[in-house]
Amino acid sequence: MMRQQRVLYQAASWCLGYPDEELLGRVPLIRAALAEFGGLGGAFAAVLDRLASRPLAEVQAGYVQEFDLSRRHALHLSYWTDGDTRRRGEVLARFKRVYRDSGMLVNTRGELPDYLPMVLEFAATVDLEAGRELLIQYRASLEMLRLALVDDGLAHASILQAICGTLPGASPADRQEVMKMAGLGPPAESVGLEPYDPRLLPMQGRH
């Protein structure tokens, strides 16, 4: 089970990251690794098929549109729970402490430490238990991202479902259930440009 989770997390990390030539070269490896665990590859099939069949420039443009330019699909876990509140800095510092406490040098490659592909790679290759704990702590963020991807018909939704399937309990059916899962109360202070409940951002219109 541990090896299966590591493989799933590593494959998800790669598939949720920015697509480049290196990722294209990994597609056969990802397929082969997932195939060792029966139906696990089904969650990744649509994304891998797109990588293998479309021009890289087209795939990259689609990724930028859906993940870099759309807040609906934010890949930073604390964005969903803390947004632009003052306390987000403390949250990011906690992610960094988890990485440091692992005893391994983690290269953030210029990304914030709560970047989902980074958390997944940390769980897959450095410390499965600590990485899973971060995913469990931010389960509500994962579920909100999953629901947004489902709503917009994006193939990455099944990958988020596979990730959530490794965590305790069933996935919520809708955003209201996610709110209950997170145990949210009244909104907290925000220093951002837009009003929102900073502990679980509302779904926004597509950009």
Side-chain angles (χ1 to χ4, degrees), residues 25-60:
R26 286 172 170 164
V27 169
L29 172 63
I30 296 172
R31 290 191 195 275
L34 293 173
E36 294 183 24
F37 302 99
L40 192 61
F44 294 79
V47 171
L48 294 175
D49 288 347
R50 179 177 174 82
L51 286 169
S53 63
R54 303 289 181 86
L56 178 58
E58 178 183 332
V59 176
Q60 290 174 332

Side-chain angles (χ1 to χ4, degrees), residues 2-204:
M2 291 179 60
R3 184 169 183 273
Q4 178 174 332
Q5 289 182 354
R6 289 182 185 277
V7 169
L8 189 154
Y9 291 158
Q10 184 62 81
S13 172
W14 287 338
C15 289
L16 289 169
Y18 181 74
D20 55 17
E21 291 285 356
E22 186 175 12
L23 177 58
L24 291 186
R26 286 172 170 164
V27 169
L29 172 63
I30 296 172
R31 290 191 195 275
L34 293 173
E36 294 183 24
F37 302 99
L40 192 61
F44 294 79
V47 171
L48 294 175
D49 288 347
R50 179 177 174 82
L51 286 169
S53 63
R54 303 289 181 86
L56 178 58
E58 178 183 332
V59 176
Q60 290 174 332
Y63 182 93
V64 169
Q65 181 65 36
E66 298 296 352
F67 291 101
D68 293 343
L69 301 181
S70 175
R71 289 187 176 185
R72 284 177 56 82
H73 310 141
L75 291 174
H76 293 90
L77 294 176
S78 69
Y79 168 81
W80 294 93
T81 56
D82 296 278
D84 295 322
T85 59
R86 289 187 176 93
R87 74 174 188 173
R88 190 179 182 196
E90 300 175 4
V91 171
L92 296 176
R94 288 201 294 270
F95 276 86
K96 291 180 181 179
R97 281 198 297 272
V98 171
Y99 296 154
R100 286 198 301 268
D101 291 347
S102 71
M104 300 290 291
L105 180 63
V106 177
N107 181 7
T108 64
R109 297 185 288 274
E111 282 288 354
L112 295 176
D114 64 337
Y115 182 53
L116 178 55
M118 186 184 304
V119 177
L120 291 167
E121 185 167 21
F122 174 76
T125 64
V126 178
D127 190 327
L128 179 61
E129 182 177 352
R132 273 178 49 80
E133 184 58 33
L134 288 174
L135 295 174
I136 291 170
Q137 289 176 13
Y138 285 87
R139 176 70 177 273
S141 299
L142 293 170
E143 297 291 359
M144 287 295 289
L145 174 58
R146 177 184 63 83
L147 290 172
L149 294 171
V150 169
D151 287 346
D152 294 338
L154 298 183
H156 293 83
S158 60
I159 295 179
L160 264 293
Q161 182 61 61
I163 295 169
C164 292
T166 69
L167 306 178
S171 286
D174 52 38
R175 186 172 182 273
Q176 285 67 38
E177 289 191 16
V178 179
M179 296 285 284
K180 292 178 181 178
M181 167 187 280
L184 295 184
E189 177 189 21
S190 169
V191 295
L193 299 178
E194 300 175 4
Y196 51 71
D197 180 338
R199 286 167 297 168
L200 201 62
L201 296 184
M203 304 297 283
Q204 303 176 27

